[in-house]
Amino acid sequence: MQLRDKNNDLAEIINCHRPDLEQFEDVYRHLHTNPELSGQEEQTAKLASDHLKAIGFEVHTKIGGHGVAGVLRNGSGPTILLRADMDALPVEEQTGLPYASTRHVKDETGAHRPVMHACGHDSHVATLMAAAKLLQSARDKWSGTLICIFQPAEEHLDGAQAMLDDGLYDKIPKPDLVLAQHVMRMRAGTVNLRAGPLLTAADAFDVRVFGRGGHGSAPHTTIDPIVLGAAIVTRLQTIVSREVTPGKLAVVTCGSIHSGHSSNIIPAYLDLQLNVRTYDPEVRKRVCASIHRIIEGECMAAGVEKKAEIKVTSSTPSTINDGKTVDALRETFQPYFGDRLVDAAPPTASEDFTLLATAVGAPYVMWMFGGTDPETWDDAVAKGTVDELPSNHSPFYAPAIQPTLCTGVDALALGALTFLKRT
């Protein structure tokens, strides 16, 4: 008896059960036009949860905010979790698309902000919705348990932890494996799968340093926090160049600095917002310690009597893809995607989905899929202008609808089917 090739079987399952994607293209356009900021994803969550309920999933809502968890129990076998994030960014869209966002809403501080899906999370929601339908349709071809998570507040790097803190795994089975994907500035239709370091750890700090305010004409009677802040920002730049081992990745960025309101008043304090990206845990520990040391040292040098306030506002670990899982995925991805499975350098962005895995000791993998129109990409490659193409968080970023969505749907379904027990 001749055995059929398992990769041909998987391709047949996907091609036979892939839903009509026109419906999910409409979902994508709707989400792109109606983005919701972190913590405000009520309508996006309802769209996802209504879809899961309609196709037979057990659905849990409002987990850690607007988090959604759908469970499809389909006999014995492993439990595979697929995750998509839902939130948008406070960015004014400038794509000029007919379905561009024009929304402005109040953020968590009460300030009015523009809103845009500038990081492609609308693609993530649409592809997971479609992949859930594909796998539900093909349930006689596999056994196990499929979990689909629609996560809030990824951009704040606290949505995954919020779902965990709200008892996520008291409500749903614990996964044996967690998979996710992210659309990136790559040629649409391509997929990048790599083992090891993929995304950096991220640590953010709000800092307030104190001086002694006074009249701008009498600086000798004050301790100027603006001069102090300038010294701190300058000295922080030496951490990467002088304290981190050459070849190890670290990024230290001051994203915001603010003090005072008038030209003739020396203010009493200055606020900084800092961001750190690293891969290696020891480098992360060293960099964060150096930030504290430099701030405290510069304050002492300036003669400041009140200790600086240094508050960690977000912190998430690096994404280190499990090697054995990547090897298994490559055995199915390579035959299916062929030369569309490409190599790409890991970005220095950060994610929090890993917490959904590490909280229960499960391995995890995230892969990237391309969203840049193929002709636009090929032209940029020929001209050497790829770095000038819009990327995530740009007001001009909007993935081409196809073949982006089809690739994302197929990758999620193939990823799950690689591990679910086939019948």
Side-chain angles (χ1 to χ4, degrees):
M1 185 176 80
Q2 185 175 4
L3 295 177
R4 297 187 62 184
D5 183 88
K6 68 174 183 178
N7 293 314
N8 289 335
D9 288 345
L10 291 179
E12 184 177 335
I13 292 171
I14 290 171
N15 290 319
C16 288
H17 292 275
R18 185 191 302 112
D20 181 357
L21 293 184
E22 185 174 345
Q23 170 192 353
F24 298 98
E25 291 175 8
D26 290 341
V27 167
Y28 169 78
R29 292 187 189 93
H30 172 80
L31 292 172
H32 194 87
T33 305
N34 300 280
E36 296 176 298
L37 289 177
S38 303
Q40 301 181 11
E41 310 93 338
E42 182 177 1
Q43 294 305 311
T44 305
K46 185 177 187 304
L47 185 70
S49 62
D50 286 352
H51 172 72
L52 292 177
K53 289 174 185 176
I55 60 175
F57 278 69
E58 166 197 323
V59 179
H60 304 265
T61 61
K62 297 182 180 179
I63 309 172
H66 294 295
V68 175
V71 182
L72 183 62
R73 303 174 195 271
N74 192 37
S76 64
T79 298
I80 307 300
L81 189 155
L82 304 179
R83 174 273 203 177
D85 38 11
M86 300 186 290
D87 51 333
L89 289 161
V91 173
E92 185 89 49
E93 181 159 357
Q94 299 179 43
T95 63
L97 291 167
Y99 51 89
S101 169
T102 59
R103 292 197 73 203
H104 286 71
V105 302
K106 287 185 178 180
D107 67 10
E108 67 275 8
T109 69
H112 283 272
R113 303 291 186 195
V115 194
M116 176 193 174
H117 266 300
C119 202
H121 296 184
D122 44 357
S123 298
H124 302 170
V125 173
T127 53
L128 183 53
M129 287 173 62
K133 189 170 184 178
L134 187 160
L135 291 164
Q136 186 273 344
S137 173
R139 61 193 180 280
D140 62 336
K141 304 295 184 182
W142 59 269
S143 65
T145 299
L146 175 67
I147 299 172
C148 293
I149 295 285
F150 293 86
Q151 182 203 308
E154 183 279 327
E155 294 294 353
H156 285 180
L157 297 176
D158 59 7
Q161 188 62 54
M163 292 187 76
L164 292 168
D165 292 344
D166 199 18
L168 173 65
Y169 292 128
D170 295 328
K171 300 173 173 68
I172 67 171
K174 294 179 174 64
D176 297 307
L177 175 66
V178 175
L179 302 174
Q181 63 182 7
H182 206 299
V183 66
M184 297 292 288
R185 182 179 62 187
M186 294 164 38
R187 193 181 195 274
T190 62
V191 175
N192 173 230
L193 175 68
R194 61 183 299 130
L198 179 72
L199 300 174
T200 58
D203 297 282
F205 301 87
D206 281 357
V207 179
R208 174 166 287 186
V209 293
F210 299 93
R212 184 168 65 240
H215 202 287
S217 67
H220 60 290
T221 67
T222 73
I223 297 176
D224 192 337
I226 293 178
V227 174
L228 169 58
I232 289 172
V233 171
T234 300
R235 185 61 181 261
L236 288 174
Q237 306 314 304
T238 67
I239 295 175
V240 175
S241 67
R242 289 296 178 269
E243 298 189 42
V244 175
T245 303
K248 295 281 189 179
L249 184 139
V251 178
V252 178
T253 296
C254 177
S256 174
I257 181 168
H258 179 79
S259 184
H261 302 282
S262 175
S263 64
N264 69 339
I265 301 173
I266 292 174
Y269 62 87
L270 175 140
D271 292 327
L272 298 167
Q273 289 184 303
L274 307 177
N275 188 268
V276 175
R277 308 289 173 131
T278 54
Y279 282 125
D280 185 278
E282 289 302 315
V283 172
R284 183 185 189 187
K285 182 179 178 181
R286 172 72 183 269
V287 170
C288 291
S290 296
I291 286 173
H292 282 76
R293 187 195 74 239
I294 286 171
I295 292 170
E296 292 166 3
E298 291 292 345
C299 286
M300 183 180 295
V304 174
E305 296 179 357
K306 187 173 182 179
K307 188 175 181 179
E309 296 175 356
I310 306 173
K311 179 183 177 183
V312 178
T313 56
S314 67
S315 181
T316 194
S318 55
T319 300
I320 311 293
N321 280 340
D322 180 68
K324 290 183 178 179
T325 304
V326 168
D327 288 343
L329 286 167
R330 195 173 296 280
E331 288 185 7
T332 55
F333 275 42
Q334 187 66 66
Y336 187 86
F337 291 109
D339 59 7
R340 293 189 293 140
L341 190 65
V342 299
D343 290 324
T348 51
S350 303
E351 259 275 6
D352 66 346
F353 97 100
T354 60
L355 299 175
L356 299 174
T358 57
V360 293
Y364 64 82
V365 167
M366 172 179 276
W367 60 82
M368 306 300 183
F369 67 115
T372 305
D373 175 77
E375 289 187 10
T376 301
W377 178 267
D378 293 344
D379 182 63
V381 170
K383 294 178 179 177
T385 57
V386 167
D387 288 344
E388 298 175 19
L389 294 173
S391 60
N392 305 68
H393 291 218
S394 163
F396 299 98
Y397 185 68
I401 293 178
Q402 292 296 7
T404 305
L405 292 187
C406 186
T407 303
V409 173
D410 290 1
L412 283 173
L414 185 61
L417 289 169
T418 300
F419 301 99
L420 290 166
K421 187 167 69 175
R422 287 186 287 281
T423 59

